[in-house]
Amino acid sequence: SSWPLSLVRSMGYILLLAAPNFYITKKRFKNYSSEFPDAVLPTLFSRIFLLICMLDILFVLGIVVMGVFSYLPGAGQSV
């Protein structure tokens, strides 16, 4: 129940709900059928959570890129 490993395990279950045909879920849950007749709400929340995670990653990458470009020669000069 240590923190990083439990987060990875939880992300596996979220991927199972949100994207059952994803490669990682096919590898981890081999003989699992993705029939969820009454799991519309958990599936929707899982997809929203994954979308927010991807947007967070893009935001952090944007900040890193902006920080790298600020150290390039001539970055603070205007024409």
Side-chain angles (χ1 to χ4, degrees):
S1 66
S2 62
W3 174 74
L5 296 178
S6 64
L7 180 64
V8 170
R9 185 184 66 226
S10 297
M11 288 301 292
Y13 289 120
I14 289 172
L15 278 173
L16 178 65
L17 279 176
N21 293 328
F22 194 57
Y23 174 72
I24 294 172
T25 57
K26 282 191 215 175
K27 186 175 177 182
R28 181 173 169 93
F29 306 102
K30 293 177 184 168
N31 297 324
Y32 186 77
S33 67
S34 61
E35 299 295 326
F36 297 117
D38 58 346
V40 174
L41 206 57
T43 303
L44 177 68
F45 287 149
S46 297
R47 288 181 180 173
I48 290 172
F49 178 76
L50 285 177
L51 179 68
I52 290 171
C53 286
M54 286 193 283
L55 289 175
D56 286 343
I57 291 170
L58 287 175
F59 180 72
V60 169
L61 286 175
I63 290 175
V64 168
V65 167
M66 287 173 49
V68 167
F69 280 130
S70 69
Y71 285 110
L72 292 177
Q77 300 172 357
S78 61
V79 178

